[in-house]
Structures are given as C-alpha cells and as structure tokens.
Amino acid sequence: MKAIVAGSGGREHAIAYTLAQSNLIEEVVCVPGNGGTAFEKKCRNIDPKERADTASLPFVEAFVAIARAERADIAVIGPEDPLADGIADALWEAGIPAVGPKAKGAALEASKDAAKIFMNKYGVACAKSRTFTDEADALAYVSEQGAPIVIKADGLAAGKGVVVAKTDEEAARAVHDLMQGAAGKKLVIEEYLQGVEISVLAAVSVTAESAASGTAAIVPFLPARDHKRLLDGAQGPNTGGMGAVCPLADVDAATMAAFDRTILQPTLKGLIAERIDYRGFIFFGLMLTKDGPKALEYNVRLGDPETQAVLPLMQSDFAALCTAITDGTLADFPLEWKPGVQVAPVAVSGGYPGAYQKGVPIAIDAATVTQTGAKIFIAGATAKGNSLVTSGGRVLACSAHGDSFDEAWNKAYAALKAVSFAGMQYRTDIGLPGAAESN
C-alpha cells in the first residue's frame, strides 16, 4: 500500500515513521512533511506550494489532488484544521479511504460548545459549563461564580484558547481577551475541576453500516500524560507540549474502567445516535478527580506530543489498524502493546512560546542517539542539505523505551543531550513526581 499523511509536525513524523515500519506499506508520502520525514526510510515529502498544479489551491484541495496523482491507498490526517475543513469528506468522495472524521465529527474539536452539547446530551462525565456570545453576560457569570474558573474560546485556537483563571481579575481579562480573537466570539465557561490531567487516545470506526450491524467500535490506547508548562515543576507559560510519558503509574485498571463506563462508551453511543461518520482517532483530555475521571475536551486526531510516546509502544501493525478503522473491522482488531515505558521530552526554540528565531542549525550526535536506542521525532525543523535547521517553536522530541520508567527516562535524556542548537530549551522532569499539571 501507499499511504499519504497530512501535516508537518512531530505527530506526523511519528505517524509516518510508524506506518513505514509496516510490511504492508511500500511508501509514505508526507504533505508537506518536515525535516524528519525528509530523511525517513520509505518516506517522501511533497510540498503542495512547490507544485504548479497545487500551489494556488487551498490545502484540502491540494492534498486531495496530490493523493489522487500519487494513487494513494489510504490517507492519515494529522492536524485538526483540515479535518474541520472537510478533508476526510473530500477524500472519501475521491475514493481514497481516510483516517480522520468527516467534518460533522470534526466539530467536536472545532467547537467546544458543540462538544459540550454532545457530552451533556449523551451523559459523558464532564465539567459543568455555560456558553456565552455576549461579553457582558459572560463577565456577569464569571463574577457570580468566582474564581478559580476555566474560560475557553469556542473555536480552534492552536492550543491557546483556554485560560484557567485563578483570580476574578484574571478571569475577567480572559473573557475580554478571548472575545477579541476569531476563535472566541463564543465562550464556554466551565467549573474548575480539581485533580490531575491525563490523555487517552483511541481508534474509532463508526459508520451507518457498522452502527446498524452492531460493529461500530471505539478502542482506547494506553493512557499518557503531556506536560504543557514550559518550565520544570509545571511552572511558566502554557505551551503546545514539552514532553510526554506512557503508560502512567498513577492510572490503574479501576480508573480506566470508570473512563470506559462514564466517558468512552457514552461517546460511542453519541456518535452512533448522531449518525456521525467517524473513522479515525479521538483524543480524550481528562481530569482525574475525586469523583472519577471527567472529560475536559475532545480532539479529533492524535495528540501531540502524546503520539510520540504512545505509537512506539504499539505492538500491533499500525497500518493494519488504520485499514481496520476505514474498512469497519476495528471491533475485531487485536490491538496489542509492548511492555515497558516510553518517555519523550521535547526540545524547543529559545523564546518559545513567545517570539523565537528560525533557521538555527541543529547538531545531532547520531552515534550517541543510536546507542541509547531513542528515536528523534522532528516537529519544527526543515532539511537544509543533509542537515536540519529550526523552523518552529517545538523543534523535536527524543522518545525512548525502557523496561522501567527510570530506564526510559535515562535513555531519552541521554539522547536529548546529544542534540544541540543555539537557544535550545527543555524540561528536565518529564514524567517525574511533581512534573504533572494538577489543579
């Protein structure tokens, strides 16, 4: 099979790399890909902006045109924006199976209000909330409820649309600031939940046919944790993710059973009832509270950087899993996991998440990285000749496996220390006690 992957981040490098490990895959075309996929075996980048036939097209149209020209057998969509824009709909219409929900399903991430309506309708355990389109009404509600409180922009905001306000003044400022952005003309204001955050990714296969036959399925992956804050000890500003660990010592079978009962199965029930064609992945952002797990959000794709810690632990053939998602056989798919732990700290550009310099040369001691057994997943770097230069805030992740957490942690950080570029920053506590964000 030839697979085609949409996206250019660390998640997409991990997806492309994992697909390429399958004997079912002859080639992975990455659109546009990045500096990591440029050097990956069995992978090839195509930048639609560099092709005469696609340079002027919107990304969805360009991607479908390339998928057709490449005669791709399956497409895997990494980021949320093209899913919200209907890329899966367009691919299926073109006869190309797509791993990613159609636009109706993608609304579960594209609109936090739509997600909350869905959760409440189908009994998904989640935070209590109200939705506002008027700033004065929102401010009055925040004043009435008091801090701490959570303010969320309704639309897609690249991970920058949520403020956990600890004071009334911070809450009022968040309401005003988020209302000014394109994603925040509508706000969802939620109760503040106390607990610790985790992420659970899952494969989903729901169609009208599978719903009717009783074969619709949602299959959870191992629980993981992303560390959002820039600095050690969960301090500093929020980022797109400073590293991930999988699985989690603080998540037991009873917690996962409660998640299945109160969140996973109600979500599947809702997808079926709403007749949503959802063949892809879903990300559950969860808060583990004293009353059990509560859903914070849905993402309609794999998480980043969780993917860089979760996919390396998958024992089953990832390409076969993707095919099972698209052809409706997910319910019978034997999903298996490797024993052990995966740790994946992220290196970021100096100044991130604020302004940062691009085009900085990256030096990698390949022999040391090989010795650790770690895999470097590139996020914000492009190829320049046979080398890499930075092109984004989150530059790369060093993902390493171990029989124990300590072994995985030591290998990951040994590999990370073999990487250097001017201004490079990273947390030194990914997965350690006290590193997780908690409320």
Side-chain angles (χ1 to χ4, degrees):
M1 289 196 304
K2 179 186 283 191
I4 187 167
V5 175
S8 61
R11 166 184 50 221
E12 288 76 35
H13 186 185
I15 289 170
Y17 170 78
T18 311
L19 285 170
Q21 305 313 300
S22 170
N23 291 330
L24 300 174
I25 297 295
E26 296 176 7
E27 185 180 33
V28 182
V29 177
C30 305
V31 183
N34 63 27
T37 55
F39 297 114
E40 204 63 71
K41 292 180 180 178
K42 292 168 64 173
C43 295
R44 174 166 54 94
N45 289 353
I46 296 180
D47 188 342
K49 295 180 180 178
E50 295 179 356
R51 288 169 55 114
D53 61 333
T54 57
S56 62
L57 296 177
F59 181 79
V60 168
E61 292 180 34
F63 185 85
V64 174
I66 293 170
R68 277 176 160 162
E70 291 290 327
R71 298 186 178 181
D73 298 295
I74 193 167
V76 183
I77 314 305
E80 63 274 23
D81 286 324
L83 289 167
D85 291 338
I87 194 170
D89 306 66
L91 285 162
W92 282 104
E93 288 172 11
I96 300 168
V99 181
K102 292 184 176 180
K104 185 177 179 182
L108 290 175
E109 180 173 0
S111 169
K112 291 182 176 62
D113 181 46
K116 295 299 291 195
I117 291 171
F118 178 93
M119 290 179 188
N120 290 324
K121 183 175 181 179
Y122 294 102
V124 175
C126 62
K128 296 175 183 177
S129 70
R130 281 187 59 182
T131 299
F132 297 89
T133 56
D134 180 83
E135 183 174 340
D137 290 344
L139 289 170
Y141 180 75
V142 165
S143 177
E144 173 189 320
Q145 296 297 309
I149 198 165
V150 181
I151 319 294
K152 297 182 176 182
D154 176 61
L156 296 175
K160 299 180 176 68
V162 178
V163 175
V164 180
K166 299 295 181 69
T167 66
D168 291 352
E169 293 77 13
E170 187 180 357
R173 185 166 61 251
V175 167
H176 176 75
D177 291 346
L178 290 175
M179 276 281 191
Q180 306 310 305
K185 301 304 181 186
K186 182 187 291 185
L187 296 182
V188 174
I189 302 180
E190 291 183 346
E191 67 171 321
Y192 176 85
L193 295 176
Q194 288 192 314
V196 62
E197 290 188 41
I198 69 167
S199 308
V200 179
L201 314 179
V204 185
S205 186
V206 177
T207 63
E209 293 77 15
S210 65
S213 65
T215 58
I218 184 166
V219 180
F221 294 175
L222 297 174
R225 176 170 288 123
D226 175 20
H227 299 67
K228 289 288 188 186
R229 297 284 184 173
L230 178 68
L231 305 175
D232 285 4
Q235 301 298 309
N238 266 322
T239 72
M242 295 299 295
V245 59
C246 179
L248 303 175
D250 59 333
V251 177
D252 58 16
T255 299
M256 292 304 291
F259 162 71
D260 180 79
R261 183 179 65 256
T262 65
I263 296 172
L264 194 73
Q265 294 307 319
T267 297
L268 177 60
K269 176 184 175 182
L271 293 174
I272 293 170
E274 295 293 324
R275 299 181 180 179
I276 294 174
D277 188 330
Y278 200 120
R279 285 170 278 184
F281 301 108
I282 193 166
F283 167 113
F284 295 89
L286 306 177
M287 183 72 77
L288 303 185
T289 76
K290 62 180 178 58
D291 299 317
K294 298 288 182 73
L296 298 175
E297 64 176 350
Y298 293 125
N299 290 166
V300 297
R301 31 70 187 188
L302 294 175
D304 191 348
E306 290 94 340
T307 300
Q308 292 90 298
V310 175
L311 285 190
L313 286 171
M314 190 175 288
Q315 185 74 55
S316 303
D317 187 303
F318 183 57
L321 172 64
C322 290
T323 299
I325 288 169
T326 59
D327 70 13
T329 60
L330 178 63
D332 297 322
F333 187 82
L335 184 58
E336 297 178 352
W337 299 94
K338 299 173 186 176
V341 179
Q342 201 81 17
V343 177
V346 170
V348 302
S349 296
Y352 176 80
Y356 53 84
Q357 186 179 355
K358 297 181 181 181
V360 179
I362 302 171
I364 299 175
D365 181 348
T368 298
V369 174
T370 299
Q371 188 176 12
T372 68
K375 174 64 182 176
I376 294 180
F377 291 117
I378 299 299
T382 57
K384 188 174 183 180
N386 293 322
S387 300
L388 295 169
V389 297
T390 64
S391 61
R394 288 188 300 150
V395 178
L396 55 84
C398 288
S399 184
H401 179 266
D403 292 335
S404 65
F405 169 79
D406 287 346
E407 182 184 357
W409 192 92
N410 286 326
K411 287 179 177 179
Y413 276 95
L416 193 58
K417 289 175 182 177
V419 177
S420 63
F421 56 88
M424 174 175 160
Q425 304 180 81
Y426 58 88
R427 281 180 61 164
T428 64
D429 66 345
I430 298 301
L432 294 177
E437 280 105 59
S438 59
N439 289 340

